[in-house]
Amino acid sequence: MKEKWASLKRYPVLVLFFFIIFSFMILDGLWPKRARSELERRDLEQFPKFSWSALFANEWTSDYAEYTKDQVVFRDGWIKLQSRSESLLFQKKEIGGALLGSENELFTKLFALKPGEEKQLAANTQILQNFIARHPGSATVLLAPSASLIYPERLPAGVPMVDEEAYLNDFFAALGAENCLDLRQAFLQNKAQKLYYDTDHHWTTEGGAYIAYQEFCQRQGFAPAQFAEEDFTPVPDFYGTTYAKCVLWNQLPDTLRYLDLPNQMTIWKSDGLGGWSAANPGTDAGTIGLYDLSKLGTTDKYAMFLYGNNSYTTIQGSGKGKLLVIKDSYANCLVPYLAQHYAQIGVIDPRGYGLPIDDLMEQEGYDEVLFVFNFQTFVTNKDLTFLYAALPEA
């Protein structure tokens, strides 16, 4: 025994290596498993259900590898350490899908559209063309430019970003300029303002969203409301979804701002047959305000706008007429501005809707429709098929 121990002492690095490995195996097995990572803003993989067929197909082992990677002990610490080493030691300008800008901002990486995204963009464009043909003169399509298009000089040198300009030109031409709200010129003229968050892909309430609101009002013939800085309620220490991709160790936080408006909102739950019942969070029925203030105490502060992305909500406005907004989360901080100009605003998030759109428009009397999407999310959106309907025969 003494001889074996003596021989092991001759290889201290090997002994230390195996000690660390076995210690981590034991600790990893005892470490509490998490359902979600607040740091990364995503659900974590859980232990995969075992089956012999999945094992032989190499599916179970692949799922198990993802599970162990997501549930590894001290995961948040490893992520932060990786970010620090990549930015400091290796001077990388891309970490976890985020590009490090020159003025403290993080840009979403998109070097080229994949073939599937090219097809999805074409399909979504066709769906909107079909909708506009069925409802001539009633639709406005807003496809918001990405921050990387407005601030290319702040991107890392030589980064081969997708030619978003060309894609937007083709998109607006296909739908017709009279049906679109192109914000590029307005954003370029006002780029000295803080149009986008540094840590998030969304536009800011007081910057990009407000300019979009002004441009929409001009198009519709409204006089936009004017707001001073003190009209907005600031929420400090906001780290958005782009930050969650890279967890940059020295990233400065944003300040999120919102307008504390008195308008009321109802979140609806569908029975799948065209009927609706109120389904507000925390209540049996009735109305709530425009903001879920409980989210301000979480890492996902942007979800406070309109209580997140619900399939269908209605907002009581103080104007005239009815507007239907079909959107991604870009619209969530834009919609409160519009409540001053319409008696009712319906808001649809396609990710959870899926019912015939023409039936809802007829039942609720929506005479105007506003589509609000960001380019980078629009090219991957597979949930717009509910907008499609066969054109009436001539």
Side-chain angles (χ1 to χ4, degrees), residues 132-145:
I132 290 170
R134 298 198 319 273
H135 303 279
S138 65
T140 300
V141 179
L142 189 166
L143 198 58

Side-chain angles (χ1 to χ4, degrees), residues 243-260:
Y243 167 80
K245 294 179 179 180
C246 65
V247 194
L248 188 63
W249 67 278
N250 61 346
Q251 179 65 45
L252 298 176
D254 283 300
T255 295
L256 178 148
R257 291 179 172 84
Y258 68 95
L259 285 170
D260 190 9

Side-chain angles (χ1 to χ4, degrees), residues 7 55-56 68 91 94 100 173 196-197 207 232 242 253 282 381:
S7 63
L55 178 64
F56 291 132
T68 56
Q91 298 292 304
E94 175 197 336
L100 311 189
Y196 300 87
Y197 293 108
F232 295 90
T242 315
N381 195 317

Side-chain angles (χ1 to χ4, degrees), residues 146-163:
S146 305
S148 55
L149 179 61
I150 305 302
Y151 301 101
E153 70 280 1
R154 299 184 186 179
L155 290 166
V159 169
M161 286 295 286
V162 67
D163 191 356

